Each structure stands twice: as C-alpha cells, then as structure tokens.
Amino acid sequence: MRIIGAGTRDDIHYVERPTFWTAPNLITLARFLLVPVFVALVASHHYVWAFWTLAVLFSTDWVDGYVARRFNQISSVGKWLDPLADRLALIIVSATYVIFHVAPAWFVWAILIPDLVLLFNALFLFKGSPELPVSILGKIRTAFLMVAAPLLLLAQANFSWAAALHVVCTVMLAIGSALHVAASVGYLLAAQAKARQARQGTTSGARQGEPLADAGGEG
C-alpha cells in the first residue's frame, strides 16, 4: 500500500470540482474544529487526551487526500483549503507547545518564520497561492513532525519511560523543524522560479504579437 499519493487510481479520469461540499473538504473542516479542542486539553494538562486528539487531527491530513483521490473528489477549494489547514494547525500546535512548556521556544519560530516568509512571497508574486506541488522534502518533514509532536505529549505524562521519550521526541522535533526550514527554502525558490517563467511567458507573448499589430496597421 502506497503512503504518498495513497488512493490514486489509474482507472478513472480525475475531474477538479468547483464546489466546497466534498467529503475531503468536510474532513479538512473537522481538522480546523479539533484545533481548539487540542489547545484546551493541553492547557488543562490532559496530555493523554491531547495526544489522541492531535493524532486524529494529524491523521486527517492523510485521510482527506486519500478520500479525494480514491473517490475522485478533488476540488479547487480543497487545493488551497488543505494546505491552509495544515499551516494554521501546525502554527497553533507549535505555539501551544511553547506557551505551555511542552517544547522549546525554537519550535514555534522554526515553523512561524518560514511560513510567514512564504505567505508574503506568495501574496507579492501571485496575489494568492502559487499552487506548487508538495516536495518530497516537505513530505518527510511532515512525517517527522506528525510523529514527534504527539509523542512529545505522552512524555509529559507520569510514565516511567517519559524522560527517555522526551529526549527522543525532542531530537525528532528538531530534525522536523530543520526540514521545515529547508523545505520552505525549496518552496520559496520554486515560487520565484514560477513567477519568472510567468513573466517571461508574458513578455514573449507580447513580442510575438508586435509584428502582427504592425501588419494589421499597414493593412
């Protein structure tokens, strides 16, 4: 069973739907709704319940993509809603970890600063999402963070192996954060390259049209 691109089928022709009302988008919406539940559980020191909530929250990122591909429910809304949900959830989770002393302060900065740079770059160059494909580095980053972050909550509980788990998860979190920065640099360069190609295409099109305009004027 494939993990990346799970649910992809070769026997159907995928059609991008213009509607919000698809099962994957509703799953993504549920992800939004779980975020305040998670914050409340961490704030009240219910770490085991917070662990399960975060595990479900993170798993929806895989589930909505699987459902979209398996049942041909890819939508134009989902193409920007899903990454937006990922970014907002990760920022809020990292901030919650730092505020309630679950993780060091560098965790939130490693997530927040690259995301803000990508956001302002996208707004400046594209006035919205550049619609870049997810990189392999980005997928590996996500895997590290989605494993380390929930397990770090269990390390806050009173288990005999909590201290050892805390060390392992902190190291994994550091690796995931470093990969997040590296993946963000890759997305930044890819967005700028896409913007340059778009400008070159516009300029080339304008130059190709100039002789036609001159000929038309002469006629």
Side-chain angles (χ1 to χ4, degrees):
M1 178 179 179
R2 62 194 301 180
I3 301 299
I4 298 176
T8 301
R9 296 170 57 183
D10 299 325
D11 60 335
I12 60 174
H13 173 66
Y14 286 104
V15 177
E16 185 175 307
R17 306 184 183 198
T19 180
F20 168 82
W21 300 106
T22 65
N25 289 341
L26 294 178
I27 295 172
T28 301
L29 180 61
R31 190 186 319 165
F32 273 120
L33 298 178
L34 280 176
V35 171
V37 176
F38 166 78
V39 175
L41 289 171
V42 175
S44 58
H45 305 293
H46 290 95
Y47 295 119
V48 175
W49 282 108
F51 162 80
W52 288 113
T53 301
L54 189 59
V56 172
L57 192 155
F58 279 167
S59 69
T60 60
D61 182 42
W62 183 86
V63 172
D64 60 13
Y66 175 85
V67 171
R69 290 182 290 268
R70 183 70 177 82
F71 300 102
N72 195 12
Q73 294 198 15
I74 297 172
S75 69
S76 53
V77 174
K79 291 176 70 174
W80 62 261
L81 183 65
D82 181 63
L84 176 63
D86 291 344
R87 297 276 66 78
L88 288 178
L90 191 54
I91 289 173
I92 295 174
V93 166
S94 61
T96 302
Y97 272 44
V98 172
I99 291 171
F100 295 102
H101 309 291
V102 176
W106 51 256
F107 180 37
V108 69
W109 297 120
I111 300 300
L112 182 60
I113 293 176
D115 280 1
L116 288 177
V117 171
L118 289 179
L119 173 62
F120 288 120
N121 181 71
L123 291 177
F124 177 75
L125 294 179
F126 300 94
K127 305 298 186 293
S129 173
E131 297 184 356
L132 298 172
V134 179
S135 67
I136 296 298
L137 189 60
K139 291 180 181 294
I140 297 173
R141 169 274 322 268
T142 300
F144 266 92
L145 294 178
M146 286 188 174
V147 171
L151 289 178
L152 196 58
L153 289 169
L154 289 184
Q156 308 304 309
N158 295 321
F159 296 123
S160 59
W161 38 265
L165 182 62
H166 186 275
V167 173
V168 172
C169 291
T170 300
V171 171
M172 291 183 63
L173 201 66
I175 295 173
S177 298
L179 290 174
H180 181 75
V181 174
S184 298
V185 171
Y187 288 134
L188 180 66
L189 296 177
Q192 293 176 347
K194 185 174 182 178
R196 283 195 301 270
Q197 290 175 356
R199 287 195 299 267
Q200 291 171 358
T202 302
T203 303
S204 175
R207 288 177 178 174
Q208 291 175 2
E210 287 173 1
L212 295 176
D214 293 340
E218 290 173 357

Short mmCIF file of all heavy atoms in Angstrom, two decimals, residues 3-4 15 19 24-25 48 60 62 72-73 83-84 96 109 117 138 140 156 171 177 180 198 205 214-216:
data_model
loop_
_atom_site.label_atom_id
_atom_site.label_comp_id
_atom_site.label_asym_id
_atom_site.label_seq_id
_atom_site.Cartn_x
_atom_site.Cartn_y
_atom_site.Cartn_z
N ILE A 3 1.98 5.08 0.62
CA ILE A 3 1.70 6.09 1.64
C ILE A 3 1.54 7.45 0.98
O ILE A 3 0.56 8.16 1.17
CB ILE A 3 2.82 6.13 2.69
CG1 ILE A 3 2.94 4.75 3.37
CG2 ILE A 3 2.53 7.20 3.73
CD1 ILE A 3 1.71 4.30 4.08
N ILE A 4 2.55 7.84 0.17
CA ILE A 4 2.49 9.09 -0.57
C ILE A 4 1.60 8.90 -1.79
O ILE A 4 1.81 8.01 -2.60
CB ILE A 4 3.90 9.55 -0.99
CG1 ILE A 4 4.76 9.80 0.24
CG2 ILE A 4 3.83 10.79 -1.85
CD1 ILE A 4 6.20 10.14 -0.06
N VAL A 15 -11.43 14.71 -12.18
CA VAL A 15 -12.05 15.98 -12.55
C VAL A 15 -12.05 16.89 -11.32
O VAL A 15 -12.49 16.47 -10.24
CB VAL A 15 -13.50 15.77 -13.04
CG1 VAL A 15 -14.15 17.11 -13.35
CG2 VAL A 15 -13.52 14.86 -14.26
N THR A 19 -16.93 22.94 -6.26
CA THR A 19 -17.73 23.08 -5.05
C THR A 19 -16.91 22.86 -3.78
O THR A 19 -15.88 22.19 -3.80
CB THR A 19 -18.91 22.09 -5.06
OG1 THR A 19 -19.67 22.26 -3.86
CG2 THR A 19 -18.40 20.66 -5.13
N PRO A 24 -13.71 15.21 1.32
CA PRO A 24 -12.38 15.64 1.80
C PRO A 24 -12.39 17.03 2.44
O PRO A 24 -11.70 17.26 3.44
CB PRO A 24 -11.54 15.63 0.52
CG PRO A 24 -12.22 14.65 -0.37
CD PRO A 24 -13.67 14.81 -0.09
N ASN A 25 -13.17 17.95 1.87
CA ASN A 25 -13.23 19.29 2.44
C ASN A 25 -13.90 19.29 3.81
O ASN A 25 -13.53 20.07 4.70
CB ASN A 25 -13.96 20.25 1.50
CG ASN A 25 -13.15 20.56 0.26
OD1 ASN A 25 -11.93 20.36 0.24
ND2 ASN A 25 -13.80 21.04 -0.78
N VAL A 48 -2.69 12.95 27.78
CA VAL A 48 -3.02 11.72 27.04
C VAL A 48 -4.17 11.97 26.08
O VAL A 48 -4.13 11.56 24.90
CB VAL A 48 -3.36 10.57 28.01
CG1 VAL A 48 -3.81 9.34 27.23
CG2 VAL A 48 -2.15 10.23 28.89
N THR A 60 -6.01 13.22 9.75
CA THR A 60 -6.97 13.71 8.76
C THR A 60 -6.27 14.28 7.54
O THR A 60 -6.86 14.33 6.45
CB THR A 60 -7.89 14.78 9.36
OG1 THR A 60 -7.11 15.90 9.82
CG2 THR A 60 -8.71 14.23 10.51
N TRP A 62 -3.84 12.90 5.99
CA TRP A 62 -3.67 11.76 5.09
C TRP A 62 -5.02 11.27 4.59
O TRP A 62 -5.17 10.95 3.41
CB TRP A 62 -2.94 10.63 5.82
CG TRP A 62 -2.65 9.44 4.96
CD1 TRP A 62 -1.57 9.25 4.15
CD2 TRP A 62 -3.47 8.26 4.82
NE1 TRP A 62 -1.66 8.02 3.53
CE2 TRP A 62 -2.81 7.40 3.92
CE3 TRP A 62 -4.69 7.86 5.38
CZ2 TRP A 62 -3.33 6.16 3.56
CZ3 TRP A 62 -5.21 6.63 5.02
CH2 TRP A 62 -4.54 5.80 4.12
N ASN A 72 -12.44 10.27 -6.38
CA ASN A 72 -12.50 11.33 -7.39
C ASN A 72 -13.25 12.56 -6.89
O ASN A 72 -14.19 13.05 -7.51
CB ASN A 72 -13.15 10.81 -8.68
CG ASN A 72 -12.91 11.74 -9.87
OD1 ASN A 72 -12.09 12.66 -9.79
ND2 ASN A 72 -13.63 11.51 -10.94
N GLN A 73 -12.82 13.06 -5.72
CA GLN A 73 -13.46 14.23 -5.13
C GLN A 73 -12.45 15.37 -4.93
O GLN A 73 -12.50 16.11 -3.94
CB GLN A 73 -14.13 13.87 -3.81
CG GLN A 73 -15.29 12.92 -3.97
CD GLN A 73 -16.21 12.91 -2.75
OE1 GLN A 73 -16.17 13.77 -1.89
NE2 GLN A 73 -17.04 11.89 -2.67
N PRO A 83 -3.82 22.76 2.35
CA PRO A 83 -2.53 23.29 2.85
C PRO A 83 -2.71 24.42 3.86
O PRO A 83 -1.89 24.57 4.77
CB PRO A 83 -1.83 23.78 1.58
CG PRO A 83 -2.88 23.90 0.55
CD PRO A 83 -3.92 22.89 0.89
N LEU A 84 -3.78 25.22 3.71
CA LEU A 84 -4.04 26.27 4.69
C LEU A 84 -4.33 25.68 6.05
O LEU A 84 -3.82 26.16 7.08
CB LEU A 84 -5.22 27.14 4.22
CG LEU A 84 -5.66 28.24 5.20
CD1 LEU A 84 -4.55 29.25 5.41
CD2 LEU A 84 -6.93 28.93 4.69
N THR A 96 1.16 26.45 20.98
CA THR A 96 0.61 25.85 22.20
C THR A 96 1.69 25.09 22.96
O THR A 96 1.78 25.18 24.19
CB THR A 96 -0.55 24.90 21.84
OG1 THR A 96 -1.56 25.62 21.14
CG2 THR A 96 -1.15 24.27 23.09
N TRP A 109 9.28 29.28 16.41
CA TRP A 109 9.95 30.18 15.47
C TRP A 109 10.35 29.45 14.20
O TRP A 109 10.28 30.02 13.10
CB TRP A 109 11.16 30.82 16.12
CG TRP A 109 10.82 31.69 17.29
CD1 TRP A 109 11.24 31.55 18.58
CD2 TRP A 109 9.95 32.83 17.28
NE1 TRP A 109 10.70 32.53 19.38
CE2 TRP A 109 9.89 33.34 18.61
CE3 TRP A 109 9.21 33.48 16.31
CZ2 TRP A 109 9.14 34.44 18.96
CZ3 TRP A 109 8.45 34.59 16.65
CH2 TRP A 109 8.41 35.06 17.96
N VAL A 117 7.29 34.04 5.71
CA VAL A 117 8.06 34.41 4.52
C VAL A 117 7.37 33.88 3.26
O VAL A 117 7.22 34.60 2.27
CB VAL A 117 9.50 33.88 4.61
CG1 VAL A 117 10.24 34.06 3.28
CG2 VAL A 117 10.26 34.59 5.73
N GLY A 138 9.26 18.12 1.82
CA GLY A 138 8.11 18.56 2.61
C GLY A 138 7.35 17.40 3.21
O GLY A 138 6.88 17.47 4.35
N ILE A 140 8.66 14.41 3.98
CA ILE A 140 9.49 13.85 5.04
C ILE A 140 9.40 14.72 6.29
O ILE A 140 9.30 14.22 7.41
CB ILE A 140 10.95 13.71 4.56
CG1 ILE A 140 11.03 12.74 3.38
CG2 ILE A 140 11.85 13.24 5.70
CD1 ILE A 140 12.40 12.66 2.74
N GLN A 156 5.02 14.09 28.63
CA GLN A 156 4.65 14.96 29.75
C GLN A 156 3.88 14.20 30.83
O GLN A 156 3.71 14.70 31.95
CB GLN A 156 3.77 16.12 29.25
CG GLN A 156 4.34 16.90 28.09
CD GLN A 156 5.71 17.45 28.38
OE1 GLN A 156 5.93 18.12 29.40
NE2 GLN A 156 6.66 17.18 27.49
N VAL A 171 14.59 15.42 19.83
CA VAL A 171 15.54 15.29 18.72
C VAL A 171 14.77 15.18 17.40
O VAL A 171 15.13 15.84 16.41
CB VAL A 171 16.44 14.06 18.92
CG1 VAL A 171 17.27 13.80 17.66
CG2 VAL A 171 17.36 14.27 20.12
N SER A 177 11.83 20.28 12.40
CA SER A 177 11.86 21.74 12.29
C SER A 177 12.91 22.18 11.28
O SER A 177 12.68 23.10 10.49
CB SER A 177 12.13 22.36 13.66
OG SER A 177 11.10 22.05 14.57
N HIS A 180 11.64 21.53 7.97
CA HIS A 180 10.61 22.51 7.63
C HIS A 180 11.25 23.77 7.05
O HIS A 180 10.77 24.31 6.04
CB HIS A 180 9.80 22.87 8.88
CG HIS A 180 8.71 23.87 8.61
ND1 HIS A 180 7.54 23.53 7.97
CD2 HIS A 180 8.63 25.20 8.87
CE1 HIS A 180 6.77 24.60 7.86
NE2 HIS A 180 7.41 25.63 8.39
N ALA A 198 6.46 32.89 -15.59
CA ALA A 198 5.21 33.56 -15.98
C ALA A 198 5.51 34.91 -16.62
O ALA A 198 4.90 35.28 -17.63
CB ALA A 198 4.31 33.73 -14.76
N GLY A 205 5.03 36.51 -25.24
CA GLY A 205 3.76 36.63 -25.94
C GLY A 205 3.55 38.01 -26.50
O GLY A 205 3.03 38.18 -27.60
N ASP A 214 1.74 45.41 -36.18
CA ASP A 214 2.27 46.29 -37.22
C ASP A 214 1.67 45.95 -38.57
O ASP A 214 1.29 46.84 -39.35
CB ASP A 214 3.81 46.14 -37.30
CG ASP A 214 4.48 46.67 -36.05
OD1 ASP A 214 3.83 47.47 -35.34
OD2 ASP A 214 5.64 46.29 -35.78
N ALA A 215 1.56 44.66 -38.86
CA ALA A 215 1.00 44.25 -40.15
C ALA A 215 -0.45 44.69 -40.27
O ALA A 215 -0.90 45.13 -41.31
CB ALA A 215 1.10 42.74 -40.30
N GLY A 216 -1.16 44.57 -39.15
CA GLY A 216 -2.56 44.97 -39.17
C GLY A 216 -2.69 46.46 -39.43
O GLY A 216 -3.58 46.93 -40.12
#
